[in-house]
Amino acid sequence: MHAQPRVLILAGLALSIALGGCLGRSEKDDVASAEKLVASHEYKSAIIQAKNALQKNPKNAEARLLLGQALVETGDAPAAEVELRKALEAGATESNTLPWLAKALLAQGKPRKVILEFAATILPDAASSADLKTTVASAYAQLGERDNALEAVQAALKDWPEHAPAALVQARLVAAGGDTAGALALIEPVLAREPKNISALVLKGDLLRYGQHDRDAALAAYRSAAAADPNSIAAHAAIISMLLEAHEVDAAKAEFVQLKSAAPNHPETRLIEARLAYLGNDFAKTREITEQLLKPYPNDPRILQLAGATALRLNATAQAENYLGQALKVQPRALLPRQMLAQIELRSGQPKKALEVLQPVLESSAPDATSLTLAGQAYLQSGDLARSEAEFAQAAKIDPKSATARTGVALNELAKGNTSAGFAELEAAAAEDTGTRANMALVAARLRANDLDGALKAVDALEKKQPGKPIAPVLRGDIQVRRKDTAAATASFEKALAIDPLYFPATAGLAALELAAGRPDGAKKRFEDLLRKDPKNYRAMLALAELKARAGESKDEVTKAITEAVKASPAEPAPRLLLINFLLGQHDAKGALAAAQDAYAALPNSLELLDRLGAAQLAAGNSQQAVASFTKLASLRPDLPEPELSLAEANIAAKDLDAARQGLERALKIRPGLVAAQRGLAQIALMQDKPQDALATARAMQKSQPKQAAGFVLEGDIQARLGHPEEAATALRSALQLEANAETAIKLHRALQTAKHTDEADRLAAKWIKDHPRDAAFRYYLGDLALARKDFAGAEAHYRSVIELQPNNALALNNVAWLMTQQGQPGAVALATRATELMPNQPVLMDTLAIALAAESQTQRAIEVQKKAIALAPDAASLRLTLAKIYVKAGDRSQARVELERLSKLGDKFPAHGEVADLMKSL
């Protein structure tokens, strides 16, 4: 019982002795101590001693140099660069400082800067010169400039023939040329001289691992390095990487414990921690770590690649593209980011872009099976079945056991219409696939064929492979929903939740069933139950916010609900994006801008948020700020046309039409034939009073894409705007022949009406309705035409035909209700009420409901509804006129006078000022 106090006393005594020993230490003592600690690789302690010296004398060049060296070795390259530049300013020699400064820059992923600053630098000291040239060689190697790298490393070895780092860089270059044996031969003399050279041992392991595929020998080399220096980050990192490749996750975690103990905050340690989090499906943690690492190391391809993969798993596609694109810029020959980018393009339905990304691999002498499979998918998606089949066949030949390649062959057969052969191959691939990709493809293929029974069988097979996971039960529930088997679907979703109570798709499936049954409170309870178990589940919070919006709750209530999701998951872009988009949809430009500014400040690496910031700035009238935001976005994603389109829109708002035109031309270079860009160029030409240039753009589209309607539609729009209905009709006839599109039919009908070709317009309308009996848009347009002619009965008939096709079309319901009131027909209240339920808090719809209520002598309720409408749109004079009329009908002349006097002050600014004057006289 007395041991513990004794230990504490001894510890206190030891501390006092240690402190006593520090008292009176001179600046020179601290520097000498730091120098010894750097020499013995005790860098953490060296940093402390160097900082002690600098506290006494901030201009001590030697202390600055030692601090910079120690920071390089501990992985804090940005801080090292700062200290090393200060060392130079304080008088440190270039021979001692520049080699370390070059290393600090290279560690930050700045190879080009290393070359620009130091490729031509000559140092008088041979050892320092060799060291600097070695780093320059490494910089060239990182950029893929092998010849320049060899020249630099040979110059380094000329300065110092036994310079181990130069020999190791030379070995890497030889290995990159395909001569692994030659590279190993270059390492052996280094190890003979320095048997515990960690870098040489790790490189030997790399060559054995990647060049000779000798896993056991590679692991032995890495373990030798770790034994030589238990604190070697490179050795531990390599061992962990090999263990993860072998799926020995527990062993990798045990090794990571040692690494974290040795260097808890080293970037390499943090990167491995992020990889382990990724493998554990903790993508939020992975993103948090990678975002932290990218601040000091924005060009590290490994961090960028992991950040891209994580963003992809979190469905942040634009962010994933950004990270992976940057990774490829740094390492153009890297395979994995290229493959992931191709997958993104395929998911977004852009097979041509996917093939462009894969082209360097496909044109190489030995393309890999995965890249060939992706190419096969791209050709399949674009309809080139022959090329698709060839790519899949080559992939299957390279890797006969690849379920992915076999799956591609099967999908190709299905695309060609060989259903039985395709499904047979797909079934076989799914049966032999140890993973689940082929099974998922089989489920999707069965669903595309509307074979729900076959899809259920495929889900059963998937569940056998994943008995303890909720994916299969949810897929089964989705299929049962399609079969309208609500009870079975509910049971399936409940089973998924029994496996994983926090699995959001299962809760969402149950909530959707509640909504379909007309039980919004039941849907709300489902999400609330999930939040009780997982209080920070932002997806559940957003779902509740959506339910609030559907229920017609106020903008403030919905905003508050989304804001809660933002607070719960501040690192998630999805809630912030929804908040910005919701406020933009509510025409709250000021609120949207504030939300966008907060969001981008919190997540500055999110390209989606940068895009929304630009949109909010544009909506708020800050066109120059929007130009700046979209310019930055375009520079970050030079391979995408969308940022250029947004930038052009911002430049138009800023009245810089030339800049807008240049942006659209850049968009067309990125994606030739992009209709949105071509329409934009035509719009700018019209704004600049150059109609012939606009028509030239449309006709160029017609010439380059003669089988597409877009060029003819554009000419029709231009001619209509120029007041040439005959020419507009001619172009639109051609467009409609190429593509039977309701919007084009409406435009042609309008042009014919304007050109006084009434009979042809009537024939077009009759034929269109006959050929497209389910087209509600054209019928709605005819209703609008009849309404404009004050043909109330005809308009009502057209709108009712829309309701037959779309019973929940709120606008059609509203219009019919209004027309019924104008024609003195009873029953308008029910239709108007339904419209406001479908689209709550819409003042125009509420106005119709109030009119309908007043028409049926429900004046008190009509007044209540109209007051709410005015509260939502206080500047809408027409709403106040309706309220005044209702007061008149209710016999409340004083309140009617209040509203009419307010309207009379508007004078002839209000189109209905005559009606206001007449009503005032009647009072």
Side-chain angles (χ1 to χ4, degrees):
M1 294 297 290
H2 299 288
Q4 190 174 0
R6 181 169 178 266
V7 170
L8 290 173
I9 291 167
L10 289 173
L13 180 62
L15 181 61
S16 67
I17 292 170
L19 288 173
C22 292
L23 295 175
R25 284 177 64 90
S26 68
E27 172 190 340
K28 187 176 179 181
D29 291 335
D30 289 330
V31 172
S33 178
E35 189 174 13
K36 288 178 183 177
L37 290 165
V38 166
S40 60
H41 300 176
E42 297 179 52
Y43 300 115
K44 290 181 184 177
S45 299
I47 289 170
I48 294 170
Q49 293 301 327
K51 286 182 176 180
N52 286 340
L54 289 168
Q55 281 182 341
K56 292 161 186 164
N57 178 12
K59 294 185 179 181
N60 188 309
E62 192 175 358
R64 288 280 177 206
L65 176 58
L66 289 165
L67 178 57
Q69 292 173 356
L71 288 168
V72 169
E73 296 291 359
T74 55
D76 193 350
E81 180 188 354
V82 171
E83 297 301 333
L84 291 164
R85 292 194 188 279
K86 285 182 179 179
L88 286 170
E89 291 171 6
T93 66
E94 288 191 344
S95 289
N96 289 335
T97 312
L98 294 188
W100 286 98
L101 180 55
K103 290 174 186 176
L105 290 172
L106 191 64
Q108 293 177 72
K110 299 177 180 178
R112 186 61 66 191
K113 193 168 185 179
V114 171
I115 293 164
L116 290 172
E117 284 200 41
F118 303 118
T121 300
I122 299 173
L123 296 178
D125 177 67
S128 298
S129 178
D131 208 11
L132 182 60
K133 288 174 182 176
T134 299
T135 304
V136 170
S138 296
Y140 277 124
Q142 279 193 16
L143 293 169
E145 300 178 23
R146 188 168 181 269
D147 291 343
N148 287 333
L150 281 169
E151 184 181 342
V153 81
Q154 285 162 2
L157 288 167
K158 186 177 179 181
D159 285 340
W160 185 2
E162 293 187 350
H163 186 47
L168 297 182
V169 171
Q170 185 184 32
R172 288 187 184 279
L173 291 168
V174 169
D179 186 2
T180 304
L184 285 167
L186 289 170
I187 294 173
E188 290 309 321
V190 176
L191 287 172
R193 292 192 302 270
E194 306 172 34
K196 292 188 177 182
N197 185 310
I198 308 303
S199 298
L201 288 167
V202 170
L203 177 55
K204 181 179 180 180
D206 290 344
L207 295 172
L208 291 166
R209 176 182 176 187
Y210 298 113
Q212 297 192 343
H213 306 289
D214 189 340
R215 182 181 183 279
D216 293 339
L219 193 56
Y222 293 143
R223 292 207 181 278
S224 295
D229 182 2
N231 294 329
S232 170
I233 295 162
H236 286 298
I239 293 168
I240 292 167
S241 178
M242 285 200 73
L243 293 171
L244 290 176
E245 283 178 6
H247 306 291
E248 298 176 27
V249 179
D250 290 339
K253 287 179 178 177
E255 190 76 28
F256 177 69
V257 170
Q258 296 180 47
L259 175 60
K260 194 163 186 179
S261 175
N265 297 315
H266 193 281
E268 202 71 35
T269 307
R270 297 286 285 150
L271 180 57
I272 292 171
E273 186 178 7
R275 285 186 65 191
L276 290 169
Y278 182 90
L279 291 171
N281 295 326
D282 190 348
F283 304 119
K285 183 177 180 181
T286 311
R287 181 172 60 191
E288 179 186 348
I289 297 172
T290 52
E291 285 183 348
Q292 290 171 357
L293 288 171
L294 282 170
K295 289 175 183 176
Y297 303 103
N299 297 313
D300 189 304
R302 300 168 306 156
I303 303 171
L304 288 165
Q305 183 173 297
L306 183 56
T310 304
L312 199 56
R313 295 297 295 267
L314 291 169
N315 294 319
T317 308
Q319 199 171 30
E321 285 186 275
N322 175 46
Y323 288 138
L324 296 169
Q326 284 182 263
L328 273 184
K329 283 181 185 177
V330 179
Q331 282 191 338
R333 296 182 183 180
L335 190 59
L336 190 56
R338 192 173 293 281
Q339 291 171 342
M340 284 194 282
L341 276 172
Q343 288 172 348
I344 291 171
E345 301 297 352
L346 288 173
R347 286 186 191 179
S348 61
Q350 298 190 72
K352 185 179 177 182
K353 290 283 290 181
L355 288 168
E356 288 173 5
V357 171
L358 292 168
Q359 205 60 37
V361 183
L362 300 176
E363 290 177 351
S364 67
S365 57
D368 64 290
T370 300
S371 297
L372 289 165
T373 298
L374 289 168
Q377 291 172 0
Y379 284 121
L380 180 61
Q381 199 174 101
S382 60
D384 189 342
L385 300 184
R387 294 288 297 276
S388 172
E389 189 170 10
E391 300 293 341
F392 282 134
Q394 190 178 350
K397 186 176 181 181
I398 293 170
D399 187 1
K401 295 182 180 179
S402 168
T404 303
R406 289 191 64 187
T407 300
V409 173
L411 292 174
N412 205 318
E413 291 295 328
L414 290 171
K416 290 191 292 185
N418 300 335
T419 308
S420 57
F423 275 122
E425 180 65 22
L426 200 50
E427 295 275 7
E432 294 178 19
D433 186 5
T434 55
T436 60
R437 183 176 295 180
N439 296 83
M440 297 294 284
L442 180 58
V443 173
R446 291 291 187 192
L447 287 173
R448 278 196 300 273
N450 203 31
D451 179 6
L452 300 185
D453 290 338
L456 284 172
K457 288 179 182 177
V459 170
D460 291 341
L462 174 65
E463 191 169 33
K464 288 178 181 176
K465 290 185 178 181
Q466 297 182 321
K469 292 189 178 181
I471 297 171
V474 166
L475 284 172
R476 186 179 292 110
D478 290 338
I479 296 166
Q480 288 160 340
V481 167
R482 292 176 66 164
R483 296 180 75 175
K484 302 190 183 333
D485 191 346
T486 304
T490 301
S492 293
F493 293 137
E494 293 283 10
K495 180 179 178 181
L497 284 180
I499 295 169
D500 183 354
L502 305 183
Y503 193 59
F504 180 81
T507 296
L510 289 167
L513 290 174
E514 297 283 2
L515 286 173
R519 297 190 296 266
D521 288 343
K524 181 181 175 185
K525 185 177 182 302
R526 292 288 184 180
F527 293 120
E528 288 173 342
D529 288 345
L530 176 56
L531 282 170
R532 273 191 286 274
K533 297 166 190 163
D534 185 8
K536 292 191 175 183
N537 190 310
Y538 75 90
R539 296 175 73 187
M541 291 180 177
L542 295 181
L544 284 173
E546 184 182 350
L547 289 174
K548 285 178 181 288
R550 290 182 60 159
E553 294 194 29
S554 69
K555 184 193 87 172
D556 290 344
E557 285 296 320
V558 177
T559 301
K560 181 181 177 183
I562 303 173
T563 302
E564 288 299 316
V566 172
K567 290 178 181 176
S569 297
E572 290 289 345
R576 295 180 184 274
L577 287 166
L578 183 61
L579 178 59
I580 299 163
N581 289 333
F582 173 73
L583 292 171
L584 285 173
Q586 293 291 312
H587 307 291
D588 183 358
K590 185 178 178 182
L593 180 56
Q597 288 169 335
D598 288 345
Y600 190 61
L603 301 172
N605 291 322
S606 172
L607 295 190
E608 293 161 300
L609 289 174
L610 178 57
D611 174 73
R612 292 296 82 197
L613 175 60
Q617 289 165 335
L618 200 56
N622 301 336
S623 54
Q624 290 298 341
Q625 291 180 9
V627 167
S629 294
F630 289 128
T631 299
K632 182 177 181 181
L633 184 62
S635 70
L636 290 169
R637 287 313 311 268
D639 57 324
L640 291 179
E642 287 78 11
E644 294 290 358
L645 295 178
S646 298
L647 177 56
E649 184 183 356
N651 275 315
I652 289 172
K655 301 189 180 344
D656 191 345
L657 299 183
D658 288 337
R661 178 177 46 75
Q662 290 165 10
L664 293 171
E665 288 170 351
R666 287 193 298 270
L668 283 170
K669 284 182 181 178
I670 297 167
R671 192 175 297 165
L674 183 63
V675 172
Q678 291 167 317
R679 291 188 70 88
L681 288 172
Q683 177 193 356
I684 289 171
L686 290 172
M687 292 173 74
Q688 294 179 321
D689 198 23
K690 297 177 181 178
Q692 292 309 312
D693 287 356
L695 287 170
T697 298
R699 286 165 184 163
M701 291 171 67
Q702 295 167 16
K703 187 176 180 180
S704 63
Q705 301 162 325
K707 293 185 179 180
Q708 294 187 22
F712 297 97
V713 172
L714 178 57
E715 182 179 353
D717 290 344
I718 295 167
Q719 297 286 16
R721 182 167 170 177
L722 295 173
H724 304 155
E726 292 281 4
E727 291 84 349
T730 300
L732 292 165
R733 286 190 195 99
S734 298
L736 200 60
Q737 287 175 356
L738 289 167
E739 183 182 339
N741 179 279
E743 185 179 354
T744 305
I746 290 169
K747 288 179 178 181
L748 175 56
H749 189 274
R750 188 179 290 123
L752 291 169
Q753 291 256 337
T754 306
K756 308 297 184 187
H757 297 315
T758 309
D759 290 344
E760 185 182 351
D762 290 343
R763 288 195 299 273
L764 169 66
K767 186 175 187 308
W768 186 266
I769 289 173
K770 180 182 176 183
D771 293 345
H772 305 87
R774 304 295 302 173
D775 180 8
F778 195 87
R779 293 171 186 268
Y780 195 99
Y781 158 75
L782 293 176
D784 288 348
L785 274 184
L787 186 59
R789 297 194 305 266
K790 296 193 181 300
D791 177 6
F792 290 173
E796 182 183 345
H798 287 304
Y799 290 133
R800 284 193 181 276
S801 69
V802 172
I803 294 170
E804 287 178 16
L805 294 169
Q806 298 176 343
N808 292 331
N809 189 314
L811 297 179
L813 288 163
N814 173 79
N815 291 359
V816 171
W818 186 86
L819 287 164
M820 290 173 71
T821 65
Q822 301 307 300
Q823 297 173 89
Q825 299 173 8
V829 170
L831 291 175
T833 300
R834 176 69 178 145
T836 57
E837 288 172 348
L838 289 165
M839 291 180 64
N841 295 326
Q842 298 299 314
V844 175
L845 304 190
M846 296 167 76
D847 183 62
T848 300
L849 176 57
I851 292 170
L853 288 164
E856 295 189 8
S857 300
Q858 300 182 48
T859 51
Q860 191 55 46
R861 189 179 162 209
I863 290 168
E864 292 172 4
V865 170
Q866 197 65 6
K867 282 183 174 179
K868 288 180 181 177
I870 291 170
L872 291 167
D875 297 327
S878 60
L879 298 180
R880 291 192 179 277
L881 180 56
T882 298
L883 181 59
K885 290 178 181 178
I886 297 171
Y887 277 133
V888 170
K889 185 176 178 64
D892 192 341
R893 292 172 175 267
S894 63
Q895 286 296 331
R897 186 175 287 105
V898 169
E899 297 298 336
L900 291 169
E901 285 176 350
R902 184 169 182 169
L903 290 171
S904 65
K905 293 176 182 177
L906 298 174
D908 57 8
K909 292 179 181 178
F910 181 37
H913 65 278
E915 188 176 1
V916 171
D918 291 340
L919 280 171
M920 286 287 286
K921 291 175 184 176
S922 71
L923 295 178

